[in-house]
Amino acid sequence: MSEARAATEKLHAELHGLGVTTAYEVGDDETVSVWIGLVVRYRDGFYRWQEGPVKRRHLGTDPVGCAMRVARRYQELQADIPLWWDDLARELRGAPVQDYP
């Protein structure tokens, strides 16, 4: 098992433990999709995530700390849907998009 695969599995398990049950591994051994537009990648020993057009980096290599920050951000995004979400959801799903995923 690769380092990236092990890291994403740990992150996925931590996210699930924090109640983020919609997250899933994309299949490239380094990416976990948390929600449309909120994606976490493990590369070069660091967790990095992207929310819409904004890229962020967790300053550690620990899946627990990263999962807590991403889970918190996930809840914030769902509570106050950002403007970029509608455009991205429409692009990914087509015009007849419902309000939420």
Side-chain angles (χ1 to χ4, degrees):
M1 178 181 304
S2 71
E3 176 187 2
R5 174 90 174 147
T8 55
E9 284 182 1
K10 289 177 186 175
L11 176 67
H12 188 253
E14 291 296 330
L15 286 168
H16 195 270
L18 292 169
V20 181
T21 58
T22 58
Y24 60 92
E25 295 175 30
V26 174
D28 62 1
D29 289 348
E30 66 181 36
T31 308
V32 174
S33 177
V34 180
W35 195 44
I36 290 179
L38 182 58
V39 179
V40 183
R41 289 182 179 86
Y42 181 84
R43 207 171 353 173
D44 303 326
F46 291 99
Y47 290 99
R48 295 173 167 87
W49 70 89
Q50 182 170 347
E51 52 183 77
V54 179
K55 294 183 180 181
R56 305 197 184 277
R57 184 178 85 167
H58 176 62
L59 297 176
T61 58
D62 63 312
V64 175
C66 182
M68 288 190 313
R69 290 181 71 185
V70 170
R72 185 180 320 122
R73 189 62 187 139
Y74 169 72
Q75 291 174 343
E76 292 170 356
L77 289 171
Q78 284 197 318
D80 186 21
I81 306 294
L83 296 175
W84 54 259
W85 189 88
D86 286 331
D87 293 336
L88 182 60
R90 197 171 294 111
E91 180 181 315
L92 293 173
R93 293 182 173 171
V97 171
Q98 299 300 316
D99 290 337
Y100 300 100

